[in-house]
Amino acid sequence: MPLAFQPGRGWRYHHSFGLLGVLVSRVVGMTLDDYLRADLFERIGMPDTGFWVPEDKHRRLPAAYRLEDGAPVETEPAGGGFYAGPPPFDVSHTELVSTAADFAWLAQLLRDGFRLPDGTPLITADHVAAMTSDQVAAESKTPDSFFPGFWSGNGWGYGVGIDLVGEHAGRFGWSGGQGTDFFVDPGAGYGILLTQVELSPETFEVVGAFQASA
């Protein structure tokens, strides 16, 4: 694939996840969905997380919306849509669907240094530290690499945004495009906000209020 820039010379949000998903599936010789389920989700107890929702659980899929002129417009129907049933093509490059319970369990594991309740580490302490530390070089934090103002006091680790300054320095987490948000204060607590409305100026205010009040 053509590169946007030489490795290490720039940064763009999201692209690496798709490439990594395809690469992992080829290395392990199985679909990424099967690999993550066997190697991670079943191992740590996240039974309702995957790339799609089986038919007997479609009823648990809520409708999704976006705001147009201040009014909600349905973009995904309840019990249907993109995540309902196995996709007709490889989804090693797309996002996961999960539940509040699974997501809360993941946040708790992240809060505890990615260790199971019995103390068993899922990854090494060095990997946890790297994942939750700013990995973007100063010269790559250009205005066009992310949304305006993000780099003012924030960094990016391996899949999470990180607060670098202020009373919440060290907190990490991220906001999803569907108006979701989560944060983890290592060794202290975590918070999760789940909505069904795509991010917009109005929903950004809700997410901002959630983060500020926690």
Side-chain angles (χ1 to χ4, degrees), residues 10 56 80 125 149 173:
D56 62 342

Side-chain angles (χ1 to χ4, degrees), residues 71-132:
V73 175
E74 187 176 87
T75 57
E76 294 275 351
F82 179 81
Y83 296 102
F89 49 83
D90 178 29
V91 292
S92 296
H93 56 284
T94 191
E95 294 83 14
L96 295 164
V97 61
S98 189
T99 62
D102 276 15
F103 205 92
W105 178 233
L106 176 63
Q108 181 176 324
L109 292 175
L110 291 170
R111 179 200 65 185
D112 297 336
F114 223 41
R115 291 176 176 271
L116 293 173
D118 64 3
T120 302
L122 294 166
I123 58 178
T124 68
D126 287 344
H127 281 121
V128 174
M131 181 180 70
T132 57

Side-chain angles (χ1 to χ4, degrees), residues 16-29:
S16 63
F17 297 117
L19 295 174
L20 182 62
V22 173
L23 178 61
V24 169
S25 67
R26 292 181 180 179
V27 168
V28 300

Side-chain angles (χ1 to χ4, degrees), residues 96-200:
L96 295 164
V97 61
S98 189
T99 62
D102 276 15
F103 205 92
W105 178 233
L106 176 63
Q108 181 176 324
L109 292 175
L110 291 170
R111 179 200 65 185
D112 297 336
F114 223 41
R115 291 176 176 271
L116 293 173
D118 64 3
T120 302
L122 294 166
I123 58 178
T124 68
D126 287 344
H127 281 121
V128 174
M131 181 180 70
T132 57
S133 299
D134 188 14
Q135 298 293 334
V136 180
E139 56 269 23
S140 296
K141 295 178 178 180
T142 58
D144 66 325
S145 66
F146 219 174
F147 60 83
F150 175 78
W151 297 120
S152 177
N154 297 292
W156 186 261
Y158 293 135
V160 290
I162 303 158
D163 290 352
L164 300 179
V165 298
E167 61 177 317
H168 296 303
R171 173 187 283 187
F172 61 88
W174 197 232
S175 302
Q178 203 59 52
T180 59
D181 188 75
F182 87 102
F183 68 80
V184 174
D185 283 314
Y190 62 86
I192 299 172
L193 173 70
L194 301 178
T195 79
Q196 298 157 241
V197 184
E198 288 182 11
L199 284 178
S200 66

